[in-house]
Amino acid sequence: MAHTGGPAHGPGRGRRTGAVVLGSRPSHSVRVTRRAPADSVAAADRTVGWLRVTAAYAWRLILVGIVVYGVFAILGRFQLIAVALFLALVITSVLRPLTDLLSRRLPRSLTVAVCLVGSILLLFSVLALVGDAVAGESAKLADEFRGGIREIQQWLERSPFRLSPHKLSDLQQQIVSYLSSHRTMLLNSAVSGLGRIVELVTGAALAVFSSVFFLHSGERLWRWTRDRLVPRAGREAWDRAGHAAWHTFAGYTRGIIIVAATNAALVGIALFLLRVPLALPLTLLEFFATFVPLIGSPVALAVATVIALAGRGPLTAAAVLLLIVVIGQIEGHVLHPLVMSWAVRLHPLVVAVSVIGGSIVAGVIGAIVAVPFISVVWAVLQALRPAPS
């Protein structure tokens, strides 16, 4: 009886136990819920994978665009302070090597004062030299302009333009009448220009004042900011990003000064050889215009072309136009690869888009600031990127 009931009971329990383990609903539902999502995810990957990747990049780009727009909007509200601090960083990047060199023999405070005062005196000397050149050539330039205007009129009356003298005189009358009718507007623009000059002087004073502290104790200011604002866990990354940003900004500033000085020297020599009026002021204009990459130098040389056309005639103007092409080739294929490639690694298309975008947002100042800003951001991202394992 035990033998009969034991086997019957044992297999029965075995069958029931097997039914519970192998055929129960929970086990069946687990297999179904595991297989279906895997199939659906695989199908989604096969059908719209490109869309998911595009969406992932899109929202990140939108977020970056919002942050950049917010930064420029904040800087626009405090434009004077932002420009002054940017100019202070430029002064610091230029004078820092000389300051560090002289501070080995002299006290740091005296070194900063010598470098700043010497650079200011040098700048005022150059401006005084340019002003003296303009004042000395003003009378001669006025006569040459009148003669140049007559030559231009005669040139336009000949082939291929063949404009009648009546149309040219009408154009002159329209210009005179426009200036007479908009005299009030021009006067208001001149008054607002005086206000801009006051803002310029204020910003320059703030820039010099800030550069004193940047040159004297820039490292201490950086460490104080890091210790006060950054958590201890993020200080190493903060230092790494700051070092990359300063290295890129200082390298760009020194490089663009070298490029601008080389362009100005070439343009000045060519203008003096061509005997173009106001050669020295045009050389200085070329120097400062080069700080706007890709655009500034052609614009400055276009101004020189107009002056050469009015003062020396069409042949000299054509020579200056040829100079635009030559300077552009030298700047794009020789100077930038040799001088700027070690500090700024941006594609020319990125540079062009940055300059145009900066000019749209903040005018000439935006065009000047855009390229170093993008270069610094790119350097910081590269410094913070984790090293490949």
Side-chain angles (χ1 to χ4, degrees):
M1 188 172 180
H3 177 75
T4 306
H9 179 66
R13 285 202 317 181
R15 284 193 299 270
R16 287 194 299 271
T17 304
V20 171
V21 173
L22 299 177
S24 63
R25 182 180 300 176
S27 176
H28 177 72
S29 62
V30 168
R31 285 198 300 271
V32 171
T33 54
R34 284 178 182 173
R35 189 182 302 117
D39 294 340
S40 62
V41 170
D45 288 337
R46 289 194 302 269
T47 55
V48 292
W50 62 270
L51 184 59
R52 293 188 302 105
V53 174
T54 304
Y57 279 104
W59 74 261
R60 288 176 172 85
L61 290 175
I62 291 173
L63 182 61
V64 171
I66 292 174
V67 172
V68 172
Y69 178 81
V71 170
F72 275 100
I74 294 174
L75 293 178
R77 300 284 293 182
F78 302 96
Q79 184 176 4
L80 181 61
I81 298 176
V83 172
L85 292 179
F86 175 80
L87 185 58
L89 292 176
V90 170
I91 296 173
T92 304
S93 63
V94 173
L95 298 181
R96 181 61 184 271
L98 181 60
T99 304
D100 292 340
L101 181 62
L102 294 179
S103 62
R104 299 175 182 177
R105 300 294 181 88
L106 299 174
R108 187 74 179 184
S109 301
L110 180 60
T111 302
V112 172
V114 168
C115 292
L116 281 176
V117 173
S119 60
I120 291 173
L121 291 177
L122 178 62
L123 178 61
F124 282 160
S125 300
V126 172
L127 294 178
L129 182 63
V130 171
D132 183 68
V134 173
E137 295 184 7
S138 59
K140 179 181 177 182
L141 183 62
D143 296 335
E144 289 181 347
F145 259 95
R146 284 192 289 267
I149 293 299
R150 287 194 295 269
E151 290 183 2
I152 293 173
Q153 290 178 354
Q154 296 174 2
W155 179 51
L156 292 176
E157 291 173 1
R158 294 193 296 265
S159 178
F161 299 100
R162 297 190 179 278
L163 295 178
S164 63
H166 179 68
K167 291 183 179 179
L168 294 176
S169 61
D170 288 342
L171 180 61
Q172 292 179 357
Q173 292 296 328
Q174 289 177 5
I175 295 174
V176 172
S177 62
Y178 176 83
L179 295 177
S180 300
S181 60
H182 295 80
R183 187 178 304 169
T184 304
M185 184 184 67
L186 295 175
L187 182 60
N188 293 333
S189 300
V191 173
S192 63
L194 292 176
R196 287 290 183 180
I197 293 176
V198 173
E199 291 183 359
L200 181 63
V201 173
T202 305
L206 179 59
V208 173
F209 181 75
S210 302
S211 63
V212 171
F213 296 97
F214 292 163
L215 288 170
H216 183 268
S217 55
E219 291 84 0
R220 281 187 290 174
L221 290 174
W222 177 262
R223 289 195 296 267
W224 183 87
T225 305
R226 179 198 62 189
D227 296 339
R228 295 284 181 173
L229 301 179
V230 181
R232 188 178 299 273
R235 289 175 184 175
E236 182 181 356
W238 176 267
D239 285 336
R240 190 166 64 249
H243 176 76
W246 176 249
H247 176 76
T248 302
F249 181 82
Y252 175 84
T253 303
R254 296 164 190 163
I256 198 66
I257 289 177
I258 294 174
V259 173
T262 306
N263 282 357
L266 295 175
V267 170
I269 292 172
L271 294 180
F272 275 109
L273 291 177
L274 294 172
R275 294 186 297 171
V276 176
L278 298 178
L280 183 59
L282 291 175
T283 302
L284 188 63
L285 177 63
E286 170 67 21
F287 175 79
F288 287 110
T290 309
F291 284 89
V292 182
L294 302 178
I295 298 176
S297 181
V299 171
L301 289 176
V303 175
T305 303
V306 174
I307 294 178
L309 179 63
R312 299 292 298 169
L315 293 179
T316 305
V320 177
L321 282 176
L322 181 61
L323 184 64
I324 295 177
V325 179
V326 173
I327 293 297
Q329 295 297 316
I330 294 176
E331 180 181 352
H333 294 88
V334 178
L335 295 178
H336 275 282
L338 291 178
V339 178
M340 303 291 292
S341 59
W342 62 276
V344 180
R345 296 175 177 86
L346 295 179
H347 194 274
L349 179 61
V350 178
V351 174
V353 173
S354 302
V355 171
I356 295 174
S359 63
I360 293 173
V361 173
V364 177
I365 297 175
I368 296 174
V369 175
V371 177
F373 178 78
I374 297 298
S375 302
V376 167
V377 171
W378 177 250
V380 170
L381 292 178
Q382 292 294 106
L384 295 180
R385 179 177 296 178
S389 56

